[in-house]
Amino acid sequence: MTISSKALKDKHKNHRQKNTMGVLDEAFIQAPEHRPKTHLTNSGDYILSNEIPTIDLSSLQDPHCDKTALAAEIAEACMRWGFFQVINHGLSLDLMRRVEKTVAEFFSLTLEEKRRVKRDEVNPMGYHDGEHTKNVRDWKEIFDFFLQDSTTVPATTEPEDTELRKLTNPWPQNPSDFREVCQEYAREVEKLAFKLLELISISLGLPGDRLTGYFKDQTSFLRFNHYPPCPNPELALGVGRHADAGVITVLAQDSVGGLQVSRRSDGQWFSVKPNPDAFIINIGNCMQVWTNDKYWSAEHRVVVNSSKERFSMPFFLFPSHDTNIEPLKELISEDNPPCYKKYNWGKFFAARNRSDYKKLQTESIQIDRFKAA
């Protein structure tokens, strides 16, 4: 994060020292087989074994550019990794620095102040410091908000229940410009997400607007992550291993590093080199199903360290609640039959949301449940 004032940094540091997440308790401890074998050192160094592809989007500024070349690069990245970075993406770097500063100011507030906008199982947007991934608590605190305020979602996870509810975003009083900056950033990153969606459609041999109809009443949301220093980074994870549920994720991160991706070919974990001016893009479960497993929704996780805090800002592009997810008819054939049965996105989203708040008796719903026989 870039914060111009040293005094502001010192003020935030003092707040954070008062608001640490405390000594590591067993709720954060990963099973031995899922603990990071490498983690960030106190100096912030990390082991970089390989790099996900970096794609330059500067040619999109030309209205007459040939998008097929970019689409071919994206196709290769989506098949091999499910991840890539984009540079020269068109988002104002000044806006990115402004939102980074505002996010840092919010997380530096007292816990009491942040919990005034705390989310729960009924209202899933706002502040939260007890999220679970794979039934293990994550070493982080977050703030979530819907792109569209308000957003319509199913009232329950029951398949036969057609009741809907409208959810709105809770906004903190401080920082005073928090809502304004967040919504401006959200509008800009949404534009980038739909440019990428068009390129992905073209990469599949489909019209550029083939997928846009699924987002009329989108359930997309943005998240701000704060990972404090961890006393035992060899035992915990900022976010446990998982694959994103939606269509695509557009992630901004700071210079500290911590994101690791599982390679499709062998499942080996690789650290992603941080570039604060780039966005990291990854394919979600919906896209994997739509492409009938051609494109890969890779597992990823976040490692933490004992001395440096980390910030990141993902945008999750989600379809409308009434969208049914199944392999696209243009991509299946007698030689390539459907790998998945149809499922409703809204119900899937509601079921996944339940697992964020507490440890459950079983693992949260996964797309493997809808694998075709």
Side-chain angles (χ1 to χ4, degrees):
M1 290 286 159
T2 302
I3 304 177
S4 58
S5 168
K6 181 180 185 301
L8 185 59
K9 288 183 181 179
D10 293 340
K11 176 184 175 183
H12 292 170
K13 180 178 179 181
N14 291 336
H15 275 303
R16 287 188 290 267
Q17 287 173 341
K18 296 175 183 176
N19 299 328
T20 59
M21 299 178 76
V23 176
L24 191 71
D25 70 36
E26 63 180 17
F28 295 99
I29 298 177
Q30 296 283 327
E33 64 270 24
H34 298 306
R35 294 173 191 170
K37 293 182 174 61
T38 61
H39 58 83
L40 299 187
T41 66
N42 288 343
S43 65
D45 296 330
Y46 59 94
I47 297 174
L48 181 68
S49 303
N50 208 334
E51 289 191 41
I52 63 173
T54 297
I55 298 175
D56 188 340
L57 298 182
S58 58
S59 62
L60 290 179
Q61 298 174 23
D62 178 359
H64 304 294
C65 81
D66 180 6
K67 295 178 181 177
T68 56
L70 281 178
E73 290 186 68
I74 287 174
E76 177 66 21
C78 290
M79 287 187 288
R80 184 181 176 200
W81 285 95
F83 267 80
F84 56 95
Q85 293 197 73
V86 293
I87 57 174
N88 298 318
H89 40 69
L91 248 81
S92 162
L93 297 182
D94 176 67
L95 174 59
M96 293 176 69
R97 300 294 92 86
R98 283 168 52 212
V99 72
E100 288 167 0
K101 176 179 177 291
T102 302
V103 168
E105 287 179 347
F106 172 76
F107 284 121
S108 75
L109 298 172
T110 65
L111 190 58
E112 178 184 12
E113 180 85 3
K114 288 180 287 193
R115 284 182 171 174
R116 290 179 182 174
V117 288
K118 190 174 186 338
R119 71 188 221 190
D120 54 39
E121 291 185 60
V122 176
N123 299 297
M125 295 294 111
Y127 175 78
H128 192 47
D129 59 355
E131 189 164 65
H132 288 67
T133 303
K134 306 288 187 184
N135 275 334
V136 180
R137 189 174 171 186
D138 296 327
W139 187 265
K140 68 175 181 180
E141 56 181 346
I142 64 175
F143 183 88
D144 290 344
F145 64 99
F146 281 120
L147 175 71
Q148 295 184 342
D149 199 358
S150 61
T151 292
T152 302
V153 298
T156 72
T157 62
E158 298 302 320
E160 305 306 318
D161 186 356
T162 59
E163 183 182 355
L164 301 173
R165 59 188 178 121
K166 286 187 177 292
L167 299 175
T168 57
N169 296 321
W171 296 105
Q173 296 297 312
N174 294 304
S176 59
D177 62 346
F178 188 84
R179 178 175 183 172
E180 177 187 353
V181 172
C182 289
Q183 290 182 326
E184 181 182 356
Y185 176 74
R187 289 190 294 269
E188 293 304 310
V189 77
E190 179 198 18
K191 293 176 185 176
L192 174 60
F194 277 101
K195 289 178 183 176
L196 294 166
L197 188 70
E198 178 187 11
L199 291 171
I200 290 172
S201 296
I202 294 171
S203 77
L204 294 165
L206 303 173
D209 62 353
R210 171 62 177 87
L211 302 172
T212 55
Y214 295 118
F215 299 90
K216 181 181 178 182
D217 297 306
Q218 61 181 298
T219 53
S220 305
F221 75 97
L222 291 92
R223 166 168 293 179
F224 300 143
N225 291 310
H226 173 226
Y227 305 95
C230 179
N232 297 103
E234 73 282 0
L235 299 178
L237 288 168
V239 183
R241 75 197 196 285
H242 69 286
D244 289 350
V247 179
I248 57 175
T249 302
V250 181
L251 172 73
Q253 64 168 344
D254 64 14
S255 60
V256 173
L259 177 65
Q260 294 187 335
V261 177
S262 174
R263 188 168 60 185
R264 184 176 192 176
S265 60
D266 57 10
Q268 185 175 347
W269 291 101
F270 291 97
S271 295
V272 177
K273 184 178 182 180
N275 178 352
D277 294 338
F279 283 98
I280 297 169
I281 314 301
N282 66 277
I283 296 304
N285 288 162
C286 291
M287 188 64 74
Q288 179 170 330
V289 173
W290 279 340
T291 64
N292 208 35
D293 280 347
K294 180 177 182 177
Y295 289 172
W296 181 243
S297 179
E299 280 201 329
H300 48 288
R301 66 186 185 186
V302 173
V303 298
V304 289
N305 68 84
S306 60
S307 66
K308 289 192 175 184
E309 62 184 352
R310 175 179 181 262
F311 297 88
S312 69
M313 304 185 299
F315 168 73
F316 300 101
L317 183 65
F318 284 178
S320 306
H321 71 87
D322 56 357
T323 300
N324 289 320
I325 307 297
E326 59 185 326
L328 298 173
K329 63 180 184 300
E330 299 97 322
L331 304 181
I332 59 176
S333 64
E334 185 175 343
D335 295 330
N336 185 34
C339 298
Y340 298 91
K341 297 175 287 186
K342 179 169 62 178
Y343 66 91
N344 174 261
W345 166 252
K347 295 297 183 180
F348 186 89
F349 171 77
R352 283 284 287 255
N353 190 62
R354 287 178 59 247
S355 69
D356 288 348
Y357 301 94
K358 58 188 176 182
K359 188 171 183 176
L360 304 177
Q361 296 302 310
T362 59
E363 188 174 305
S364 62
I365 189 170
Q366 306 292 326
I367 58 169
D368 287 349
R369 183 179 302 186
F370 304 100
K371 276 282 190 180

